[in-house]
Amino acid sequence: MKTASRFISVVLGAVMASSASAAATEDVVNNSGLSVYYEFSAGGISAYFTDCKGMGSQNEVEQTRVNPREESTTKLPGRLQVKNLTCSRGLTKSMDLWSWRQQVASGRSARSRVDATLIAYDQTMTPIAEWSFSRVWPASIDFNDTTPGRETIVFAADQVQRLR
């Protein structure tokens, strides 16, 4: 029993030492129960959200034969797709995002495509991440049926870049 107990202590010590050294080299935000807040700015409009997701991009994967005489293939990056940014918040009195969405819905989308930034803050309102988006427009606004008093806005963009 002493051997098993000693083994567990050694393993736990190694895991803790490994975690400590990783934390020393990289500042990691642990989202286990901690709140993250988001500030979205675009074309003179500022909005604050409690949840945002989709800050990224992906490539289609294309398979190509290396040699026409063989069955082996290689995977190559294909067309780049920027994911839609989906943010939600409590319902506010501000009509800014609604008015912007109405510009798009009425066909005036060329003037309503603007560059934007999204900054994530921790509980102390310290910036922890920032993204920039090119030619953003609100693709949809939804007043959530399952959580009354919440609105969800989906933004489409041509490009996304993580700044920090």
Side-chain angles (χ1 to χ4, degrees):
M1 190 60 133
K2 284 185 178 180
T3 305
S5 175
R6 196 174 304 142
F7 175 75
I8 291 172
S9 295
V10 169
V11 169
L12 286 176
V15 168
M16 290 176 66
S18 173
S19 297
S21 67
T25 60
E26 183 177 0
D27 186 19
V28 176
V29 176
N30 183 358
N31 282 339
S32 58
L34 298 180
S35 297
V36 176
Y37 305 97
Y38 300 90
E39 177 184 13
F40 178 83
S41 300
I45 297 173
S46 289
Y48 297 89
F49 296 97
T50 53
D51 183 47
C52 286
K53 53 190 163 206
M55 296 81 85
S57 63
Q58 66 186 36
N59 284 83
E60 292 178 356
V61 178
E62 296 181 3
Q63 288 190 341
T64 305
R65 255 188 209 185
V66 179
N67 184 343
R69 295 179 183 160
E70 295 180 20
E71 290 295 318
S72 64
T73 62
T74 186
K75 293 181 181 181
L76 299 172
R79 188 172 62 125
L80 176 68
Q81 296 176 333
V82 175
K83 295 181 179 183
N84 287 341
L85 172 65
T86 303
C87 297
S88 60
R89 65 179 182 174
L91 193 58
T92 69
K93 292 181 181 181
S94 173
M95 294 291 291
D96 291 342
L97 291 172
W98 180 260
S99 297
W100 186 19
R101 172 70 191 127
Q102 290 311 303
Q103 283 183 338
V104 174
S106 67
R108 296 183 308 234
S109 61
R111 287 184 290 180
S112 57
R113 295 175 62 117
V114 297
D115 293 342
T117 59
L118 180 71
I119 302 173
Y121 296 93
D122 65 12
Q123 289 179 316
T124 65
M125 296 310 289
T126 302
I128 54 175
E130 182 176 358
W131 295 265
S132 71
F133 300 88
S134 297
R135 299 182 43 83
V136 174
W137 54 279
S140 71
I141 292 181
D142 177 39
F143 298 98
N144 196 331
D145 294 334
T146 58
T147 311
R150 299 217 25 102
E151 67 180 344
T152 300
I153 299 140
V154 177
F155 298 99
D158 288 347
Q159 295 178 352
V160 61
Q161 181 178 7
R162 174 120 184 228
L163 302 175
R164 67 170 131 164

